[in-house]
């Protein structure tokens, strides 16, 4: 027991788990990070980082047999031959879909921080207050002012490019210089500014080091090279991942222990002490059970896995899952609506091009339902957009070959542009996850059952997005505009949230304003599971800010003897 005792245990090594480890270790706590997947070492374990397309066995595509055996994971954004090593295989990690739901996972040290989209807009008070103001959800126990200093704390360390735009719906942060617009993006921005005074298209706010500062160099990271090969693992550390940033930083304190191949079975509850005493794991390779002990536990396994672990953490005190007195654990699962997109061509600008492969995208900040409810649906949407030059013969039925083909490849074609939505969804009790009553995985842990779907609110928002985006491109002078509804199932957005939501009242929520379980104060949940609503902004940087804030609170409570 002495060998397996730490000050703190962190479940998960991804975006929020890495931040928990960094903050805990910096505060002098001996910290154990449990990761169910294999170990990954920055740079050393990026096998395709420098490979050209012709150096990949299948030129970037996956063989038909692989696609047939992995119909789910192969749909993930960014999944291809060069990135497949950072994603699971379908058969290795089954779950039960009561409704269609694509659960995208990457099990390794670093988790999905190696493959995330890297957009990092701050939430505003509109997102924190809207559910209560407009009556479609539970009120958050915090507001923007509570997390604003923690946003700054995180941004300075990880490095965010962007520009200060003074937009009420998307607060400014601590920014490095942005990636600039290309000429067509600038033209579209000017058109939006002219025709829509209440809509703002701004530079990308992305986790990329455009101009590294001393704190980034101390991490061993360097400038983004504009290769747009991020999901292979960046050998330069140009984008933020826990493998290149927070975990090595924590390791340098001498307080970190990382244990890969550790499948968390449950959190152990001490009936006499009235708090959690540690974590039980199953070794992924030997299937041997081991117990680890700590004063505090941070749950950062990613939203649905965090729900699974808490649901499986039963005891005499908590027969339905740790902290689950109100029966709401696993309920109010929500996600982002990515179904809508619009694409178009743009004449002219053929004497212009751009530098590198921009790994970021301009943003149109949410312009719906801010000060008042103005649509027939609740919530709003962020719009991501961009423009690029296609290949000379893209879409042509007359494709040259031989010398003519080679010459054609050296000449860019016309301009294309696009917009796609990241829409808020309304949390509902019927959208839930639960444990299977009769199916278990290879480690004897119940499979997760997902029962999550769209509703009429999502359909109305989608219709509005397609209409408004089409109109914006028309006014910008675009041609051949096409609106698309992908009809993709929930989950493919990879922004699943909720199930262990924050709130003011233990009767209607699981966590308090400090991300503590109401009924088990030494357990903190700071990944997507903690979310009370989805907002429309990208959530990952909020998880990081909430994690740093929760660690600060936990350390203070430990000093006072309250944990």
């Amino acid at each position: 027991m002495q060998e397996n005792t730490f000050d703190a245990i962190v479940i998960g090594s991804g975006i929020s788990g890495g931040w928990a480890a960094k903050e805990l270790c910096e505060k002098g706590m001996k910290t154990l990070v449990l990761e169910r997947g294999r170990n990954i070492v920055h740079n050393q374990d990026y096998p395709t980082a420098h490979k050209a397309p012709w150096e990949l066995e299948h030129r970037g595509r996956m063989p038909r047999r692989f696609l047939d055996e992995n119909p789910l994971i192969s749909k993930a954004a960014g999944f291809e031959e060069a990135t497949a090593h950072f994603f699971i295989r379908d058969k290795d990690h089954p779950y039960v879909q009561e409704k269609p739901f694509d659960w995208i996972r990457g099990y390794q040290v670093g988790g999905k921080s190696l493959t995330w989209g890297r957009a990092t807009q701050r939430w505003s008070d509109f997102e924190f207050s809207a559910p209560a103001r407009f009556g479609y959800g539970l009120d958050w126990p915090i507001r923007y002012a509570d997390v604003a200093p923690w946003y700054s704390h995180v941004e300075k360390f990880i490095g965010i490019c962007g520009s200060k735009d003074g937009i009420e719906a998307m607060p400014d942060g601590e920014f490095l210089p942005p990636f600039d617009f290309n000429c067509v993006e600038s033209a579209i921005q000017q058109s939006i500014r002219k025709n829509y005074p209440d809509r703002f298209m701004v530079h990308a706010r992305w986790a990329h080091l455009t101009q590294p500062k001393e704190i980034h160099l101390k991490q061993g990271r360097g400038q983004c090279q504009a290769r747009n090969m991020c999901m292979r693992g960046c050998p330069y550390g140009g984008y933020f991942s826990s493998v290149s940033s927070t975990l090595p930083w924590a390791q340098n304190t001498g307080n970190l222990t990382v244990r890969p191949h550790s499948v968390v079975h449950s959190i152990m509850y001490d009936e006499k002490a009235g708090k959690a005493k540690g974590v039980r794991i199953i070794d992924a390779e030997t299937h041997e059970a081991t117990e680890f002990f700590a004063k505090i536990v941070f749950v950062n396994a990613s939203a649905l896995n965090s729900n699974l672990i808490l649901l499986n953490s039963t005891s005499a005190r908590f027969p339905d899952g740790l902290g689950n007195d109100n029966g709401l654990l696993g309920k109010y699962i929500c996600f982002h609506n990515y179904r809508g997109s619009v694409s178009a061509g743009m004449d002219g600008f053929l004497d212009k091009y751009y530098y590198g492969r921009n790994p970021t995208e301009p943003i149109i900040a949410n312009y719906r339902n801010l000060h008042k409810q103005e649509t027939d649906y609740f919530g709003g949407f962020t719009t991501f957009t961009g423009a690029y030059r296609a290949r000379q013969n893209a879409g042509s039925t007359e494709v040259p070959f031989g010398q003519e083909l080679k010459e054609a490849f050296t000449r860019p074609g016309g301009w294309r542009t696009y917009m796609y939505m990241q829409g808020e969804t309304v949390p509902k009790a019927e959208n839930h996850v639960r444990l299977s009553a009769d199916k278990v995985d290879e480690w004897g842990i119940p499979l997760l059952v997902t029962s999550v779907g769209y509703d009429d609110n999502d359909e109305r928002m989608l219709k509005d997005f397609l209409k408004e985006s089409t109109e914006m491109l028309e006014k910008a002078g675009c041609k051949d505009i096409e609106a698309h509804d992908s009809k993709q199932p929930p989950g493919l957005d990879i922004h699943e949230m909720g199930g262990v939501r924050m709130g003011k009242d233990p009767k209607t929520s699981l966590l308090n304003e400090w991300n503590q379980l109401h009924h088990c104060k030494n357990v903190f949940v700071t990944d997507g599971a903690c979310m009370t609503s989805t907002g429309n902004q990208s959530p990952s940087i909020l998880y990081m800010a909430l994690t740093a804030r929760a660690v600060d609170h936990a350390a203070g409570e430990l000093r006072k003897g309250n944990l």
Side-chain angles (χ1 to χ4, degrees), residues 62 143 185 213 221 349 374 418 454:
M62 298 304 292
R143 289 294 185 265
E185 291 165 352
K213 294 192 174 182
R221 299 168 60 201
F349 305 96
E374 59 188 0
Y418 61 88
Y454 293 105

Side-chain angles (χ1 to χ4, degrees), residues 257-278:
T257 300
V258 178
R259 192 184 195 280
H261 303 295
S262 300
V263 180
V264 172
H265 176 278
S266 56
I267 297 169
M268 301 179 293
Y269 184 75
D270 187 327
E271 304 279 349
K272 291 183 179 180
K275 59 184 178 181
K277 62 180 179 180

Side-chain angles (χ1 to χ4, degrees), residues 100-174:
F101 187 91
D102 291 340
W103 188 11
I104 305 302
R105 289 156 289 168
Y107 292 153
Q108 61 267 323
V109 169
K112 293 196 295 291
S113 77
L114 289 160
T115 58
W116 67 307
R118 307 172 307 285
T120 49
Q121 318 96 291
R122 291 188 180 196
W123 275 36
S124 71
D125 260 332
F126 292 123
E127 285 74 59
F128 286 109
S129 65
R133 279 191 297 133
F134 300 132
Y136 65 89
L138 186 72
D139 192 18
W140 280 80
I142 57 174
R143 289 294 185 265
Y144 175 69
D146 297 307
V147 292
W150 296 103
Y151 270 131
S152 293
H153 177 68
V154 167
E155 289 164 344
K156 290 174 183 177
F157 188 81
I158 72 175
I160 305 296
C161 65
S163 56
K164 292 184 181 292
D165 302 293
I167 302 172
E168 189 179 13
M170 199 167 70
D172 292 330
E174 310 290 340

Side-chain angles (χ1 to χ4, degrees), residues 338-452:
Y338 269 80
R339 280 170 49 186
S341 64
V342 178
S343 61
M346 177 72 99
D347 286 336
F349 305 96
L350 296 180
D351 59 338
K352 301 287 195 301
Y353 203 69
Y354 41 83
Y355 168 76
R357 297 171 180 164
N358 189 342
T360 74
E361 293 173 310
I363 299 168
I364 301 174
N366 177 42
Y367 50 85
R368 287 305 198 210
N369 300 325
L370 296 173
H371 291 283
K372 61 182 181 179
Q373 181 69 38
E374 59 188 0
T375 67
D376 62 353
Y377 59 84
F378 294 118
F381 50 81
T382 290
T383 302
F384 294 108
T385 184
Y388 61 96
R389 293 196 72 170
R391 283 185 173 178
Q392 178 72 26
N393 295 93
S396 173
T397 57
E398 298 179 4
V399 181
F401 65 96
Q403 184 65 28
E404 290 183 13
L405 178 62
K406 292 179 181 180
E407 291 178 357
F409 278 146
T410 69
R411 300 189 299 271
W415 286 89
R416 301 286 302 171
T417 187
Y418 61 88
M419 294 180 178
Y420 66 90
M421 71 184 295
Q422 181 175 276
E424 182 171 358
T425 60
V426 175
K428 303 182 294 294
E430 58 266 33
N431 276 349
H432 73 278
V433 295
R434 64 183 189 274
L435 301 184
S436 171
D438 56 359
K439 295 182 176 65
V440 299
D441 62 21
E442 66 173 285
W443 302 284
I445 299 171
L447 297 187
L448 195 69
V449 180
T450 59
S451 185
V452 181

Side-chain angles (χ1 to χ4, degrees), residues 151-427:
Y151 270 131
S152 293
H153 177 68
V154 167
E155 289 164 344
K156 290 174 183 177
F157 188 81
I158 72 175
I160 305 296
C161 65
S163 56
K164 292 184 181 292
D165 302 293
I167 302 172
E168 189 179 13
M170 199 167 70
D172 292 330
E174 310 290 340
F175 295 139
L176 304 173
F179 281 87
D180 207 356
F181 294 138
N182 61 43
C183 57
V184 171
E185 291 165 352
S186 292
I188 293 172
Q189 184 205 38
Q190 292 166 16
S191 173
I192 291 173
R193 184 182 296 154
K194 174 184 176 182
N195 293 291
Y196 304 91
D198 61 339
R199 300 184 189 182
F200 304 95
M201 177 176 165
V202 301
H203 291 107
R205 299 177 178 187
W206 240 252
H208 283 263
L209 299 180
T210 52
Q211 193 176 96
K213 294 192 174 182
E214 184 179 0
I215 186 64
H216 309 125
L217 299 176
K218 284 182 178 179
Q219 296 171 44
R221 299 168 60 201
Q223 184 173 347
C224 173
Q225 301 297 300
R227 304 188 317 150
N228 198 20
M229 298 163 69
C230 314
M231 290 189 182
R232 299 182 182 196
C234 180
Y236 309 97
Y239 77 90
F240 167 79
S241 76
S242 55
V243 171
S244 66
S245 179
T246 46
L247 289 176
W249 192 268
Q251 193 77 57
N252 288 339
T253 67
N255 293 324
L256 179 67
T257 300
V258 178
R259 192 184 195 280
H261 303 295
S262 300
V263 180
V264 172
H265 176 278
S266 56
I267 297 169
M268 301 179 293
Y269 184 75
D270 187 327
E271 304 279 349
K272 291 183 179 180
K275 59 184 178 181
K277 62 180 179 180
V279 176
R280 179 178 293 111
I281 67 109
I282 309 295
D283 190 283
E285 296 178 311
T286 67
H287 288 216
E288 181 181 353
T290 306
E291 295 179 349
F292 296 95
F293 305 90
K295 300 171 187 175
I296 56 175
V297 177
F298 269 73
V299 185
N300 301 92
S302 82
L304 298 194
N305 272 321
S306 290
N307 275 273
L308 190 161
I309 290 166
L310 292 169
L311 285 165
N312 202 44
S313 300
T314 57
S315 61
R317 169 67 181 85
F318 296 111
D320 299 316
L322 186 62
N324 191 25
D325 283 2
N326 55 25
L328 295 180
L329 181 60
K331 295 182 179 179
Y332 296 97
I333 298 294
C334 41
F335 52 93
H336 272 148
N337 185 351
Y338 269 80
R339 280 170 49 186
S341 64
V342 178
S343 61
M346 177 72 99
D347 286 336
F349 305 96
L350 296 180
D351 59 338
K352 301 287 195 301
Y353 203 69
Y354 41 83
Y355 168 76
R357 297 171 180 164
N358 189 342
T360 74
E361 293 173 310
I363 299 168
I364 301 174
N366 177 42
Y367 50 85
R368 287 305 198 210
N369 300 325
L370 296 173
H371 291 283
K372 61 182 181 179
Q373 181 69 38
E374 59 188 0
T375 67
D376 62 353
Y377 59 84
F378 294 118
F381 50 81
T382 290
T383 302
F384 294 108
T385 184
Y388 61 96
R389 293 196 72 170
R391 283 185 173 178
Q392 178 72 26
N393 295 93
S396 173
T397 57
E398 298 179 4
V399 181
F401 65 96
Q403 184 65 28
E404 290 183 13
L405 178 62
K406 292 179 181 180
E407 291 178 357
F409 278 146
T410 69
R411 300 189 299 271
W415 286 89
R416 301 286 302 171
T417 187
Y418 61 88
M419 294 180 178
Y420 66 90
M421 71 184 295
Q422 181 175 276
E424 182 171 358
T425 60
V426 175

